[in-house]
Amino acid sequence: METDKAAKQEETMKIAVLALQGAFIEHERMLERLGAEAFEIRQKKDMEREFDGLILPGGESTVMGKLMRDLGMFEELKNRIEDSLPVFGTCAGLILLAKEVEQGKTQLATMSIRARRNAYGRQLGSFHTEEEFSGIGVIPMTFIRAPYIAEVFDDTEILARAGDHIVAARQKNQLVCAFHPELDQDTRVHRYFLEMIRASKGMIAG
Ligand code: GLN
């Protein structure tokens, strides 16, 4: 029992979730289900805590971008991501990371993708589907006024498509989904992110 506890404690990962607006609580629940510790970043001083990875949730990218600037967090977040902090952006979080944004403003601009905001129009504002995610299998995908990835650049790897569109991708320490894995019961995409972090730590240590 004690050994189990010690082992668990040793590998408990601390994940910061940007909690300025949007669907951040659902990410925290998902992380807790996977045995990781989640805490919220609401102001600049919350970033003084140590953490292994960061989640940028869904919501409204323009509002989150403005709040990050107003609260003086923008530069530090951008620098830490560029400095290889593992980051997972869902929906609006994907837009925040994109170096190019259609129908919207670029924000952190750290990832070599072009995002198309509100890409599905009004009729298809929200929908649910199931598609293959590279290395994971078929997963549920819930889209809410979602973007898609119109193009990937440099070494960005495509991880999933839905219909004709790219909906998940990775570039080194950055993972993005146009859908909301935190709103379904399937934990595999979050598990993939935690594995990404573990692998990057292993590389640093090795
Ligand atoms: N439409 C939102 C935006 O442009 C994203 C929607 C979402 O995160 N569910 O930021």
Side-chain angles (χ1 to χ4, degrees), residues 21-23 57-64 90-96 101 103-104 116-119 125 142-147 178-180 182-183:
Q21 189 261 342
E60 200 51 50
S61 53
T62 45
V63 177
M64 277 195 263
T90 57
C91 204
L94 174 155
I95 298 166
L96 293 178
V101 178
Q103 305 182 55
R116 182 169 303 170
R117 268 188 83 212
N118 299 328
T142 299
F143 293 85
I144 302 171
R145 296 192 64 235
F179 53 96
H180 287 268
E182 77 284 6
L183 298 183

Coordinates of all heavy atoms in Angstrom, one line a residue, residues 21-23 57-64 90-96 101 103-104 116-119 125 142-147 178-180 182-183, ligand 1:
Q21 N -11.5 31.7 -18.8 CA -12.8 31.7 -19.5 C -13.0 30.3 -20.2 O -12.0 29.6 -20.5 CB -12.8 32.8 -20.6 CG -14.1 33.1 -21.3 CD -14.1 32.5 -22.6 OE1 -13.1 32.1 -23.2 NE2 -15.3 32.4 -23.1
G22 N -14.2 29.9 -20.4 CA -14.4 28.7 -21.2 C -14.5 27.4 -20.4 O -14.7 27.4 -19.2
A23 N -14.2 26.2 -21.1 CA -14.4 24.9 -20.6 C -13.2 24.3 -19.9 O -12.6 23.3 -20.3 CB -14.8 24.0 -21.7
P57 N -7.9 25.7 -22.9 CA -9.2 25.1 -23.1 C -10.0 25.8 -24.3 O -9.5 26.8 -24.8 CB -9.9 25.4 -21.8 CG -9.4 26.7 -21.3 CD -7.9 26.7 -21.7
G58 N -11.2 25.2 -24.5 CA -12.1 25.8 -25.5 C -12.8 27.0 -24.8 O -12.8 27.1 -23.6
G59 N -13.3 27.8 -25.6 CA -14.0 29.0 -25.1 C -14.1 30.0 -26.3 O -14.5 29.7 -27.4
E60 N -13.6 31.2 -26.0 CA -13.6 32.2 -27.1 C -12.2 32.8 -27.2 O -11.7 33.4 -26.2 CB -14.6 33.3 -26.7 CG -15.1 34.2 -27.9 CD -15.5 33.4 -29.1 OE1 -16.4 32.5 -28.9 OE2 -15.0 33.6 -30.2
S61 N -11.5 32.4 -28.3 CA -10.1 32.8 -28.4 C -9.8 34.3 -28.3 O -8.8 34.7 -27.7 CB -9.5 32.2 -29.7 OG -10.3 32.6 -30.8
T62 N -10.7 35.1 -28.8 CA -10.5 36.5 -28.8 C -10.5 37.0 -27.3 O -9.7 37.8 -26.9 CB -11.5 37.3 -29.6 OG1 -12.8 36.7 -29.3 CG2 -11.3 37.2 -31.1
V63 N -11.5 36.5 -26.6 CA -11.6 36.9 -25.2 C -10.4 36.4 -24.4 O -9.8 37.2 -23.6 CB -12.9 36.4 -24.6 CG1 -13.0 36.7 -23.1 CG2 -14.1 36.9 -25.3
M64 N -10.0 35.2 -24.6 CA -8.9 34.6 -23.8 C -7.6 35.4 -24.2 O -6.8 35.7 -23.3 CB -8.7 33.2 -24.1 CG -9.6 32.3 -23.2 SD -9.1 30.6 -23.2 CE -10.2 30.0 -24.5
T90 N -7.3 23.0 -27.0 CA -8.5 22.4 -27.6 C -9.4 23.6 -28.1 O -9.6 24.5 -27.3 CB -9.3 21.6 -26.6 OG1 -9.6 22.4 -25.4 CG2 -8.5 20.4 -26.1
C91 N -9.8 23.4 -29.3 CA -10.8 24.4 -29.9 C -10.2 25.8 -29.9 O -9.3 26.1 -30.6 CB -12.1 24.2 -29.3 SG -13.4 24.8 -30.3
A92 N -10.7 26.7 -29.0 CA -10.2 28.0 -28.9 C -8.7 28.0 -28.6 O -7.9 28.8 -29.1 CB -10.9 28.9 -27.9
G93 N -8.3 27.0 -27.8 CA -6.9 26.8 -27.5 C -6.0 26.5 -28.7 O -4.9 27.0 -28.8
L94 N -6.6 25.8 -29.7 CA -5.9 25.6 -30.9 C -5.7 26.9 -31.7 O -4.6 27.2 -32.2 CB -6.8 24.6 -31.8 CG -6.4 24.3 -33.2 CD1 -6.9 22.9 -33.6 CD2 -6.8 25.3 -34.3
I95 N -6.7 27.7 -31.6 CA -6.6 29.1 -32.3 C -5.5 29.9 -31.6 O -4.7 30.6 -32.3 CB -8.0 29.8 -32.3 CG1 -9.0 28.9 -33.1 CG2 -7.8 31.2 -32.9 CD1 -10.4 29.4 -32.9
L96 N -5.5 29.9 -30.3 CA -4.5 30.6 -29.6 C -3.1 30.3 -30.0 O -2.2 31.1 -30.0 CB -4.6 30.4 -28.1 CG -5.9 31.0 -27.4 CD1 -5.9 30.6 -25.9 CD2 -6.0 32.5 -27.6
V101 N -4.2 32.6 -38.6 CA -5.6 32.4 -38.2 C -6.4 33.0 -39.3 O -6.2 34.2 -39.6 CB -5.9 33.0 -36.9 CG1 -7.4 32.9 -36.6 CG2 -5.1 32.4 -35.7
Q103 N -10.1 34.4 -40.5 CA -11.3 34.9 -39.8 C -11.1 35.2 -38.3 O -12.0 35.0 -37.5 CB -12.5 34.0 -40.0 CG -12.8 33.6 -41.4 CD -14.0 32.7 -41.5 OE1 -15.0 33.0 -41.1 NE2 -13.8 31.5 -42.2
G104 N -9.9 35.7 -38.0 CA -9.6 36.0 -36.7 C -8.2 36.5 -36.5 O -7.4 36.6 -37.5
R116 N -8.7 27.8 -39.2 CA -9.8 28.6 -39.7 C -10.8 28.6 -38.6 O -11.4 27.6 -38.2 CB -10.4 27.9 -41.0 CG -11.5 28.7 -41.6 CD -11.9 28.1 -43.0 NE -10.8 28.2 -43.9 CZ -10.7 27.6 -45.1 NH1 -11.8 27.0 -45.5 NH2 -9.6 27.7 -45.8
R117 N -11.1 29.8 -38.1 CA -12.1 30.0 -37.0 C -13.5 29.8 -37.5 O -13.8 30.1 -38.7 CB -12.0 31.4 -36.5 CG -11.0 31.6 -35.3 CD -11.2 33.0 -34.8 NE -12.3 33.1 -33.8 CZ -13.0 34.2 -33.6 NH1 -12.8 35.2 -34.3 NH2 -14.0 34.1 -32.7
N118 N -14.3 29.3 -36.6 CA -15.8 29.2 -36.9 C -16.0 28.6 -38.3 O -16.7 29.0 -39.1 CB -16.5 30.5 -36.8 CG -16.4 31.1 -35.4 OD1 -16.3 30.3 -34.4 ND2 -16.3 32.4 -35.3
A119 N -15.2 27.5 -38.5 CA -15.0 27.0 -39.9 C -16.3 26.3 -40.5 O -16.4 26.1 -41.7 CB -13.8 26.1 -39.9
G125 N -22.9 24.4 -36.4 CA -22.3 25.0 -35.2 C -21.7 23.9 -34.3 O -20.6 24.0 -33.8
T142 N -16.4 15.8 -30.3 CA -17.5 16.8 -30.1 C -17.0 18.1 -30.6 O -16.0 18.6 -30.0 CB -18.0 16.8 -28.7 OG1 -18.5 15.5 -28.3 CG2 -19.1 17.8 -28.5
F143 N -17.7 18.7 -31.6 CA -17.3 20.0 -32.1 C -18.3 21.1 -31.7 O -19.5 20.9 -31.8 CB -17.2 20.0 -33.6 CG -16.1 19.1 -34.2 CD1 -16.3 17.7 -34.3 CD2 -14.9 19.6 -34.5 CE1 -15.3 16.9 -34.8 CE2 -13.9 18.8 -35.1 CZ -14.1 17.4 -35.2
I144 N -17.8 22.2 -31.2 CA -18.7 23.3 -30.8 C -18.2 24.6 -31.4 O -17.1 25.1 -31.0 CB -18.8 23.5 -29.3 CG1 -19.3 22.2 -28.7 CG2 -19.7 24.6 -28.9 CD1 -19.2 22.1 -27.2
R145 N -18.8 25.1 -32.4 CA -18.4 26.3 -33.1 C -16.9 26.2 -33.4 O -16.1 27.2 -33.1 CB -18.7 27.6 -32.4 CG -20.3 27.8 -32.3 CD -20.6 29.2 -31.8 NE -20.2 30.2 -32.7 CZ -19.5 31.2 -32.4 NH1 -19.0 31.4 -31.2 NH2 -19.1 32.1 -33.3
A146 N -16.5 25.1 -33.9 CA -15.1 24.7 -33.9 C -14.3 25.3 -35.1 O -14.9 25.6 -36.1 CB -15.0 23.2 -34.0
P147 N -13.0 25.4 -34.9 CA -12.1 25.7 -36.1 C -11.8 24.4 -36.7 O -12.1 23.3 -36.2 CB -10.9 26.3 -35.4 CG -10.8 25.6 -34.1 CD -12.3 25.3 -33.7
A178 N -9.3 20.3 -32.6 CA -10.4 21.3 -32.9 C -11.6 20.9 -32.2 O -12.5 21.7 -32.0 CB -10.7 21.2 -34.4
F179 N -11.7 19.6 -31.7 CA -12.8 19.2 -30.9 C -12.6 19.2 -29.4 O -11.5 19.8 -29.0 CB -13.2 17.7 -31.4 CG -12.1 16.8 -31.3 CD1 -11.9 16.0 -30.2 CD2 -11.1 16.7 -32.4 CE1 -10.8 15.1 -30.2 CE2 -10.1 15.8 -32.3 CZ -9.9 15.0 -31.2
H180 N -13.5 18.7 -28.7 CA -13.4 18.8 -27.2 C -13.4 17.5 -26.5 O -14.4 16.9 -26.1 CB -14.7 19.5 -26.7 CG -14.8 21.0 -26.9 ND1 -14.3 21.9 -26.1 CD2 -15.2 21.7 -28.0 CE1 -14.5 23.1 -26.6 NE2 -15.1 23.0 -27.7
E182 N -12.4 16.7 -23.7 CA -12.8 16.8 -22.3 C -14.3 16.7 -22.1 O -14.7 16.5 -20.9 CB -12.2 18.2 -21.7 CG -13.0 19.4 -22.0 CD -12.8 20.0 -23.4 OE1 -12.1 19.3 -24.3 OE2 -13.3 21.1 -23.7
L183 N -15.1 16.8 -23.1 CA -16.5 16.7 -23.0 C -17.1 15.3 -23.2 O -18.2 15.1 -23.0 CB -17.2 17.7 -23.9 CG -16.9 19.2 -23.7 CD1 -17.8 20.0 -24.7 CD2 -17.2 19.6 -22.3
Ligands
GLN1 N1 -15.4 29.8 -31.9 C1 -14.5 29.9 -30.8 C2 -13.3 30.8 -31.1 O1 -13.2 31.3 -32.2 C3 -14.0 28.5 -30.5 C4 -15.1 27.6 -29.9 C5 -14.8 26.7 -28.8 O2 -13.7 26.8 -28.2 N2 -15.7 25.8 -28.5 O3 -12.5 31.0 -30.3

